[in-house]
Amino acid sequence: MLKGIDKLLTGDLLKILCDMGHGDELVIADANFPAETCAQRLIRLSGIDGVRATEAILSVFPLDTYSDPAILMDMTDEDKRRMPKPEIWAKYHDAVVVEPKKIERFEFYERAKKAYAVIQTGEDRQYGNLILVKGVVL
């Protein structure tokens, strides 16, 4: 146990966050994400929703200021026609305090395969997938 560190941040997760360098990408994945297929390093936070995990991570994780620091998986064209915009997007926006960029689903999967790590949450809302790009500590 560490003083002042969010209890969701396990030793394994803190090591990953610490070992990442500037520009490395971290995927916050929902419960339906193919994390086992995509991840080079995988941490599971099964009982935790994506927004709560993101808030805990951002308590120690600097976001990049030189590129798009937050990237959402965009809705498919079919889902855009039949569904409202996912409510979780506004919650992620509030957590990261920037407007997240949106990228196509399969492009998101390819980026996830190259990401430093995937954190699979228990998030059950659709389109609850987010990439965070690490910045520097000044």
Side-chain angles (χ1 to χ4, degrees):
M1 182 72 74
L2 295 172
K3 185 176 176 182
I5 301 291
D6 192 301
K7 290 178 176 69
L8 287 184
L9 301 177
T10 64
D12 291 338
L13 179 50
L14 284 169
K15 178 174 180 0
I16 283 174
L17 299 176
C18 184
D19 289 350
M20 291 176 69
H22 178 230
D24 281 342
E25 295 184 352
L26 179 72
V27 177
I28 310 297
D30 65 25
N32 291 304
F33 189 81
E36 215 44 71
T37 302
C38 291
Q40 294 182 44
R41 297 165 192 85
L42 177 60
I43 298 283
R44 295 189 192 279
L45 297 176
S46 300
I48 307 303
D49 72 64
V51 176
R52 175 68 180 95
T54 300
E55 291 168 344
I57 289 164
L58 289 175
S59 72
V60 298
F61 186 92
L63 287 176
D64 195 14
T65 56
Y66 300 109
S67 67
D68 295 308
I71 302 158
L72 293 166
M73 178 189 288
D74 201 2
M75 298 171 75
T76 65
D77 291 339
E78 174 68 24
D79 284 349
K80 287 177 185 175
R81 284 189 290 278
R82 66 179 185 86
M83 294 172 48
K85 184 168 76 169
E87 67 175 42
I88 193 168
W89 287 2
K91 296 182 184 308
Y92 277 144
H93 176 272
D94 291 345
V96 299
V97 195
V98 297
E99 184 65 39
K101 176 181 177 178
K102 294 176 195 75
I103 61 173
E104 188 271 335
R105 176 177 156 212
F106 292 104
E107 182 182 351
F108 192 99
Y109 290 150
E110 288 307 310
R111 282 187 78 158
K113 289 175 185 176
K114 297 174 189 169
Y116 190 86
V118 174
I119 310 304
Q120 184 151 42
T121 68
E123 181 59 63
D124 59 2
R125 291 173 281 193
Q126 286 185 297
Y127 293 100
N129 301 301
L130 175 70
I131 295 173
L132 301 175
V133 181
K134 189 170 184 183
V136 297
V137 176
L138 300 175

